[in-house]
Amino acid sequence: MVPAKLSTVADTLVINEIYLSLQGESTFAGLPCIFVRLTACDLRCSYCDTAYAFTNGKKHSLEAIQAEVNRLAKPFQQQTPVRDDPAKRESLPSIPHSALCTPHSPRLPLVELTGGEPLLQKESLFLMKALCDDGFTVLLETSGAHDISPVDPRVRRIMDLKCPSSGEVKRNRWENLRHLKDTDEIKFVIGSREDYDWAKEQIYEHKLVAICPLLMSWVHPLAPEQQDKSLKKVPAGQTPIPRQELAEKIIADALPVRFQIQMHKVIWPPEQKGV
């Protein structure tokens, strides 16, 4: 495949890491995914597990990033089941890869821009467009504090609504709700009983279930090496909620959300990078 042309060869992004793993969250959980982690974030959520991306990173041209994504994706494009046998190869129909990509069966691997906060670097908009032009299913993880309207409509936006225990609830950009589509997702990161009550109130007040899928993600405790001094403190009056209690509350309240844990933290050590 010839990669789509980007706007200008001079454009760069500051990147913390690019790697292939399994998607650990969202409705795409469990699928192979290439993660492009951008450097910098202007929020300091109390539970943030990627503080290492606040400042660490190197400049890469958009073309170099796109080339690395295509390199990591190449093995998936070369899959030819049962075609090793020349005798069988002739009898098998040729199925274009695009024909296998449907809304329920996206092209693999997925590509996700995450951070940090990808929308702090405006060149990320050009990268997402080019990756969509290349035929990838592109996901964007964003804090919800920045305008999502300029993002290519083909991108699946996974947008946080920050709950009280994050310490950043005032940063929610409520205008973003009107830009969401049914292919997007809203994520509530729940660390306390107060977070749950707040999220439930927003779901009903803003009729969020009519907009897009809703996620409730339990806050996994930070490992000692993840506890960055710059993170906000959990505000006073918050009562921690165990994950079992969160799951049982969702069931008891018949809440129309998808409960999720960070799958990658179950498979690998929670503090491990590049997974």
Side-chain angles (χ1 to χ4, degrees):
M1 181 202 316
V2 178
K5 295 286 187 182
L6 287 159
S7 58
T8 110
V9 294
D11 286 336
T12 60
L13 284 167
V14 183
I15 299 295
N16 179 271
E17 56 184 348
I18 303 176
Y19 60 93
L20 173 65
S21 186
L22 295 181
Q23 176 59 249
E25 304 181 71
S26 81
T27 62
F28 294 92
L31 293 175
C33 184
I34 297 169
F35 293 88
V36 181
R37 186 179 302 285
L38 282 76
T39 299
C41 186
D42 55 342
L43 273 65
R44 291 295 183 268
C45 298
S46 63
Y47 46 71
C48 181
D49 57 2
T50 52
Y52 61 87
F54 289 164
T55 55
N56 295 334
K58 295 181 180 179
K59 282 187 177 181
H60 296 268
S61 70
L62 301 188
E63 287 80 4
I65 299 166
Q66 193 179 9
E68 177 64 4
V69 168
N70 277 283
R71 185 189 71 81
L72 292 171
K74 191 173 182 180
F76 291 84
Q77 299 164 11
Q78 295 175 335
Q79 294 182 65
T80 52
V82 201
R83 294 170 189 258
D84 294 333
D85 186 338
K88 293 181 179 178
R89 189 182 302 129
E90 295 299 325
S91 62
L92 288 173
S94 177
I95 304 174
H97 190 70
S98 59
L100 302 176
C101 304
T102 70
H104 301 291
S105 180
R107 173 183 169 184
L108 297 179
L110 310 166
V111 180
E112 176 174 292
L113 270 68
T114 185
E117 170 52 64
L119 294 182
L120 279 178
Q121 300 187 56
K122 299 308 178 186
E123 291 80 5
S124 66
L125 299 173
F126 299 114
L127 178 61
M128 286 186 278
K129 180 183 184 304
L131 292 170
C132 288
D133 290 345
D134 280 347
F136 287 105
T137 298
V138 180
L139 315 179
L140 168 67
E141 279 270 4
T142 181
S143 66
H146 298 274
D147 185 7
I148 65 170
S149 63
V151 176
D152 191 291
R154 294 169 292 180
V155 173
R156 312 293 186 94
R157 298 168 295 190
I158 303 166
M159 188 191 82
D160 279 18
L161 282 178
K162 298 299 184 185
C163 298
S165 78
S166 69
E168 296 284 17
V169 69
K170 292 182 180 179
R171 294 297 304 275
N172 287 318
R173 192 177 193 280
W174 294 100
E175 300 94 326
N176 279 334
L177 292 181
R178 66 172 177 264
H179 299 300
L180 291 169
K181 311 182 304 297
D182 59 4
T183 54
D184 297 321
E185 302 179 14
I186 295 172
K187 180 173 68 175
F188 297 96
V189 179
I190 306 294
S192 69
R193 292 172 182 166
E194 291 74 21
D195 284 350
Y196 177 82
D197 292 338
W198 182 88
K200 185 168 66 170
E201 181 181 346
Q202 308 316 311
I203 289 170
Y204 291 123
E205 179 180 343
H206 297 283
K207 300 180 174 60
L208 299 182
V209 72
I211 299 175
C212 63
L214 308 178
L215 313 169
M216 277 197 173
S217 184
W218 179 70
V219 172
H220 196 290
L222 296 178
E225 53 267 49
Q226 294 176 305
Q227 296 172 359
D228 191 90
K229 292 180 179 179
S230 70
L231 300 182
K232 296 283 182 71
K233 300 297 183 184
V234 176
Q238 300 287 308
T239 309
I241 186 169
R243 60 186 173 192
Q244 180 176 329
E245 182 180 338
L246 173 56
E248 290 172 348
K249 277 181 172 289
I250 291 171
I251 295 168
D253 291 342
L255 210 58
V257 303
R258 178 187 296 257
F259 171 78
Q260 64 171 25
I261 55 174
Q262 294 173 295
M263 184 185 295
H264 49 288
K265 292 184 178 179
V266 177
I267 303 171
W268 295 281
E271 68 277 10
Q272 186 166 330
K273 299 178 184 178
V275 295

